[in-house]
């Protein structure tokens, strides 16, 4: 991402930085000239937030939304709020493509790439997500080899 050094400098100076939302103009570097040019593309706000957090070496990624949790069996008779999951568990869920699926994918990618913590939950309680009192926390899960621990 082109703006990472500027964002890093602003954060170091104590500035609250709001960036990487949906919209904007996607660009690519022209291989022949080295110049940037506009590209026909859609920038997914959740995936770009995960990429920015990764490049900034963030400890955690919070994806704030209008729901309290990610739900297993969403849209079914008995949905179940998920409190704490691993990236694989999150990816195995049948989530809506235009809604929770991109958020789940972004959280899973961040956790897998950084070993950090991701949270998906209500916009009005970011601290509660980090404390585990609301929202869904996504954490690395140990790989099970099938052998008992030594």
């Amino acid at each position: 991402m082109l703006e990472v050094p500027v964002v890093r400098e602003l954060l170091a100076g104590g500035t609250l930085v709001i960036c990487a939302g949906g919209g904007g103009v996607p660009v690519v570097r022209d291989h022949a000239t080295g110049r940037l040019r506009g590209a026909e593309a859609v920038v997914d706000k959740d995936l770009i937030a995960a990429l920015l957090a990764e490049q900034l070496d963030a400890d955690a990624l919070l994806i704030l939304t209008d729901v309290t949790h990610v739900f297993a069996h969403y849209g079914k008779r008995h949905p179940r709020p998920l409190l704490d999951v691993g990236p694989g568990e999150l990816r195995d869920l049948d989530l809506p493509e235009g809604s929770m699926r991109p958020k789940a994918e972004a959280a899973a990618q961040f956790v897998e790439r950084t070993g950090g913590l991701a949270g998906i939950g209500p916009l009005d309680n970011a601290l509660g997500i980090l404390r585990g009192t609301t929202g869904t926390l996504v954490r690395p899960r140990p790989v099970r080899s099938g052998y008992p621990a030594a």
Side-chain angles (χ1 to χ4, degrees):
M1 294 179 58
L2 299 173
E3 299 85 359
V4 169
V6 173
V7 172
R8 190 182 304 276
E9 187 174 327
L10 289 167
L11 290 171
T15 302
L16 173 63
V17 181
I18 299 172
C19 57
V25 179
V27 295
V28 294
R29 190 167 303 280
D30 186 293
H31 293 294
T33 66
R35 297 181 67 188
L36 296 176
R37 62 177 169 79
E40 287 191 37
V42 175
V43 176
D44 180 275
K45 63 187 176 295
D46 300 310
L47 290 173
I48 201 70
L51 179 62
L52 179 61
E54 178 185 344
Q55 291 185 358
L56 290 172
D57 301 317
D59 296 325
L61 169 68
L62 287 181
I63 299 176
L64 304 177
T65 185
D66 61 350
V67 298
T68 58
H69 297 82
V70 176
F71 286 86
H73 313 296
Y74 178 81
K76 306 287 193 255
R77 190 170 186 168
H78 299 289
R80 182 175 51 92
L82 298 173
L83 308 177
D84 198 311
V85 298
E89 297 165 87
L90 199 55
R91 282 198 178 102
D92 288 345
L93 297 172
D94 183 24
L95 299 171
E97 284 297 329
S99 174
M100 193 55 72
R101 170 66 54 199
K103 293 168 181 27
E105 181 58 34
Q109 280 187 24
F110 177 80
V111 170
E112 288 171 341
R113 291 180 179 174
T114 68
L117 175 74
I120 302 171
L123 176 62
D124 64 350
N125 197 356
L127 185 57
I129 300 168
L130 289 173
R131 288 182 173 163
T133 59
T134 190
T136 299
L137 291 176
V138 186
R139 309 173 195 261
R141 292 288 194 240
V143 176
R144 295 192 176 116
S145 65
Y147 297 101

